[in-house]
Every structure is written in C-alpha cells, then in structure tokens.
Amino acid sequence: MAVAGIQSAQGQEALRSAISVDRSVKVRPLRPDYVKPAGTYFGPVQFSKGLYSEVGYDSNVNLSERDPQSDVYFRNGFRIGLHWPVTVRSELRFGTEVGYIHYLDRGRNSGFEVAPDSTLAYTFSFDELRVTLFDQFNYLQQARTEAALVNIATLSRLENSAGIRFSWEPNQFIFQFGYSHHNTASDEETYEYINRSSEYLFGRAGMRLAEATEAGIEASVDFSSYEFSVQNDQDTVSVGAYVEWQLMEHLRVMARGGPTISKFHNRVTTGNDDGGLNSHYYGFEVAQQLTQFMSHKVGLTREVRAGLSEGSAYIEQLTGSYSFYWSPTRWLTIGMGLAYEDGQQPLPFFVNGVRGEIVEKFNRFVAHPTISCRLTDSFTATLAYIHAIRDTNLNQRNYRNHLVSLNLAYSF
C-alpha cells in the first residue's frame, strides 16, 4: 500500500507506461568487452530465483467505514529473473514475481498475483542506435494499492503493454521513440467496465550534460477505447521537460512536468462540462545515500490517469512520499515509508432515474515501518506494519486500516 505512493514521477497513461519501461530496461551499455558478473548460470544465462511466504492480519479487508471486516491471509509465490547476453550487441532480460494470496474467512478475495512491471525485454544495438522489444505485464487483485478505491476488497485487473523502443545517442544527444499496445481487463464480471485497449506513443529529445546527468523534453499520446460505454473513450496528450541530475556522487535528483490535455468522447461523466480535462503533471524525487549503511528518498508527484470506479473518467492525484533505510549491521535493516495522497475523481449518482455526478475529494495517509533480518546469506525475514487513514468529502467512503505481516524469503 505505501509503496504505491513511493515511485518515480508520472503523468498520464502513455507517459506512466514509458517511465515504467525505463525502469525495467535501463541497463548498462552493450559493449564488446562484456565481462560476466558473479551469479548463478545455466550456460550463458544468468539466473536469479527465490521463494517467499507471507502471513498477515488485515483489520479492514473491504476498506469500509461502517462495516470493517478483519481476516488473516497467506501469500506464497516465487521470483525469477534472467539475463542472457545473446551476442556482444544484444541481450534478453526477464523478471517477474508470481504468487497466490489466500484469505481464511473470505475465500472469494483469494487469487493469483503477478508483480507490477514484470518484463520480458530483448535489446539489440547498431552502433549508436539501440532497439528494445518489450512486453510488460502484471495481474493485480488487491484494491488497497489505490487510494481512489473504497468499499471493496479486490479489483482484479490484468494489464499488458507490448511494444518497441528506439534510442539513438549521437555524441551527447539523446533521442527516443516508442510505441506500445496496451490492454487492461478484469476476469470478474463486476469489474469488466475497466476493460480497454490503448495505443501509446512516446518521444524524448535530450542532451547528456555529464556522465549521469541529462535534460530535455518528452511527449506522449494515448488513444484509449473501452469495451463498455459506461466508461469514456479518451485521447490524451502530454508535453513536458525532464532532468535527471547526479548532483553529487551519492545524491541524485529527478524532475519532470508539463501540461496534459484529455478529450472524452462518450460524455458519460467527466467532471467538466466541455467533455475534456486540461490539467498538468509533475514529479520531483531526491535520492541520497547518506552513509554506506543509510539512505533515504523524498518524492512529490502529481498525475492524471484513467478512472478505476465505474463511470469515473479520470483520477487526479498528488502524492508526497518519504522512505528511509538503515542497516546498523549487515544482518539487520530498518525501514520507514510515509506517503500522503490527495486527489479527486468524478463519480456518478442517480436521482429518480436521472444520472448526475459529484466530484469526490479524498486524501490518504500511509505509514509503513519494516524490520528485515537476514538469517543467512539466502534467507530473510521481514516484519512489516501498515497503517492507513482515508478521508473524503463523501459519506461512507472514509476508512481506517491496520495490516501486520511476516514475510520469509529464500533466494538461491
């Protein structure tokens, strides 16, 4: 839950997807003098793999104000990653986490999960041109990762983006272009209103000012079409500037921002009389390694994205976050994550058969302390606590939630 607000700057859907792909495929330059790093190998393929098991207590499974219900859950799964340098100019990468969560009293909330940003990517290069083919996917069950959702325990959704990214870096200049086809779908009839297909276009032009510093402009376009008319088909454009600045050896700053314009076609409910939304996005993140054993990160993000509630066209949300990690010994890590989310979304209502809408203004505070202990080089135990408070201007859409979990992870 807390991690949902502690992430890189994001704008609307196509830009969010592009930044997510950046994190997954941004790897070292392909070089003929490639040297194998240490690790587990099957022939030329480097593997990382592991198992995890988690037990937790959730005080408010259905995120309800008036009828909070507690439950105990078990989560089990595996992690796998591979890196295959196919040639000196090409490589294949894959990483995912697949698990199953089971609730003791409310089995209908149980189901499979695939971690966000699971990615299969193949990269090859021709001198200064790098081409990446990718497929990024996830399958999410829990509703608690979204501050906009309330009074439900799960909203199952499969998301998949497949596409291509071109990156040309002549001298100190950087030019990128990407296209991907995106699908969002739910396997539950109740939530099929989120089913949509989208075309994403992304472009970036910048200059490398130093080895780890670059700045420039970026633009994105997406065309989204929903399967059911209860949601708005929409076209969205964003244009903005970005900078990634290695200010000091252990201090990194990232910032981006600009306007975003959305046009809604169905006019089901938009929160605006003209069927559109003129807004903006921005993001700012500072990450610092204080000492060899201590690091922290602060971020501020404003994003505009597709609505998740039935009949809601969009979500505008501002998120401030802070995370801190301290390892007093090589076997112990203490962490703290804090996030404050403030947003709004248009929601439909009916009076005597007449449809109207109201804009919900909500905020949520999340605190997420953790203690992690490496019992051996391969075996780690993590005790975590999450406390969430959601407030809103609408009745019966506030909640309080406590979650305690113990996670055991084994890597081999």
Side-chain angles (χ1 to χ4, degrees):
M1 180 188 292
V3 176
I6 303 173
Q7 52 188 305
S8 298
Q10 301 176 348
Q12 43 82 29
E13 298 295 334
L15 181 56
R16 295 177 73 228
S17 176
I19 294 172
S20 179
V21 172
D22 282 344
R23 292 195 300 264
S24 299
V25 304
K26 196 169 187 177
V27 295
R28 55 158 187 81
L30 297 172
R31 292 165 34 183
D33 59 343
Y34 172 74
V35 178
K36 258 189 194 182
T40 302
Y41 286 85
F42 184 77
V45 183
Q46 182 187 18
F47 280 97
S48 62
K49 47 195 180 297
L51 302 172
Y52 65 89
S53 183
E54 179 177 302
V55 59
Y57 169 80
D58 191 335
S59 70
N60 190 354
V61 175
N62 52 345
L63 304 178
S64 172
E65 177 181 359
R66 294 202 170 181
D67 185 29
Q69 300 176 13
S70 62
D71 206 346
V72 174
Y73 69 85
F74 296 91
R75 177 185 276 117
N76 298 282
F78 65 89
R79 305 180 181 94
I80 187 170
L82 67 85
H83 173 216
W84 179 16
V86 183
T87 70
V88 294
R89 290 188 174 272
S90 64
E91 64 182 7
L92 180 69
R93 287 179 176 265
F94 175 72
T96 189
E97 178 181 294
V98 179
Y100 185 86
I101 183 170
H102 174 71
Y103 284 86
L104 284 186
D105 295 334
R106 293 161 187 83
R108 66 183 180 277
N109 297 335
S110 305
F112 285 97
E113 301 174 317
V114 179
D117 302 343
S118 296
T119 305
L120 175 65
Y122 177 67
T123 300
F124 55 95
S125 64
F126 305 96
D127 296 324
E128 298 167 337
L129 177 66
R130 176 191 291 263
V131 181
T132 300
L133 302 171
F134 64 88
D135 192 311
Q136 190 167 69
F137 52 93
N138 61 70
Y139 180 77
L140 303 173
Q141 282 273 73
Q142 304 304 299
R144 69 180 61 258
T145 58
E146 297 288 349
L149 295 176
V150 67
N151 293 321
I152 61 173
T154 63
L155 194 161
S156 66
R157 53 209 184 274
L158 171 66
E159 298 181 344
N160 187 86
S161 295
I164 187 169
R165 173 76 67 87
F166 299 92
S167 181
W168 181 40
E169 300 186 12
N171 299 319
Q172 75 271 31
F173 297 100
I174 302 167
F175 301 98
Q176 293 183 346
F177 173 78
Y179 163 78
S180 61
H181 176 76
H182 176 88
N183 288 103
T184 297
S186 177
D187 56 7
E188 296 184 61
E189 184 176 354
T190 304
Y191 305 119
E192 286 183 343
Y193 63 82
I194 68 171
N195 294 2
R196 78 175 192 270
S197 61
S198 306
E199 310 302 324
Y200 293 162
L201 297 173
F202 171 75
R204 179 182 287 154
M207 177 179 291
R208 198 174 303 281
L209 306 175
E211 182 178 355
T213 300
E214 64 181 79
I217 58 174
E218 56 191 13
S220 67
V221 181
D222 77 64
F223 307 96
S224 295
S225 177
Y226 283 87
E227 182 178 340
F228 298 98
S229 59
V230 68
Q231 300 296 106
N232 275 288
D233 294 346
Q234 53 188 273
D235 303 331
T236 307
V237 178
S238 75
V239 180
Y242 79 94
V243 61
E244 299 181 6
W245 185 13
Q246 192 71 43
L247 185 59
M248 298 170 57
E249 181 180 0
H250 301 295
L251 180 61
R252 185 166 182 79
V253 178
M254 291 178 285
R256 57 175 24 93
T260 176
I261 302 172
S262 300
K263 182 67 176 178
F264 307 108
H265 298 294
N266 297 0
R267 299 294 301 278
V268 175
T269 176
T270 66
N272 291 274
D273 294 336
D274 62 358
L277 176 67
N278 297 329
S279 187
H280 61 280
Y281 74 93
Y282 57 77
F284 179 73
E285 182 180 279
V286 179
Q288 183 180 23
Q289 188 75 35
L290 297 169
T291 70
Q292 183 180 356
F293 311 102
M294 189 180 300
S295 65
H296 66 158
K297 181 191 300 183
V298 62
L300 184 66
T301 300
R302 189 184 192 276
E303 61 179 353
V304 183
R305 53 198 176 93
L308 292 171
S309 298
E310 185 172 359
S312 179
Y314 65 86
I315 300 169
E316 285 186 286
Q317 184 171 307
L318 174 69
T319 301
S321 62
Y322 177 77
S323 60
F324 172 82
Y325 294 96
W326 174 44
S327 298
T329 73
R330 62 174 299 218
W331 304 106
L332 181 67
T333 300
I334 299 171
M336 169 60 79
L338 300 172
Y340 179 78
E341 300 153 300
D342 185 89
Q344 64 177 21
Q345 58 182 338
L347 298 174
F349 68 89
F350 295 88
V351 177
N352 298 324
V354 178
R355 186 187 184 108
E357 71 173 18
I358 188 170
V359 175
E360 180 190 29
K361 297 182 179 180
F362 62 87
N363 61 75
R364 185 174 71 163
F365 170 76
V366 181
H368 182 31
T370 61
I371 298 178
S372 183
C373 181
R374 290 180 58 196
L375 304 177
T376 69
D377 287 338
S378 302
F379 189 45
T380 304
T382 302
L383 180 65
Y385 170 68
I386 296 176
H387 176 55
I389 302 173
R390 185 186 196 270
D391 292 310
T392 175
N393 62 324
L394 303 182
N395 293 329
Q396 300 184 38
R397 293 181 64 84
N398 305 302
Y399 66 74
R400 304 291 185 267
N401 186 220
H402 303 270
L403 189 148
V404 181
S405 65
L406 175 64
N407 182 287
L408 303 177
Y410 181 77
S411 61
F412 54 93

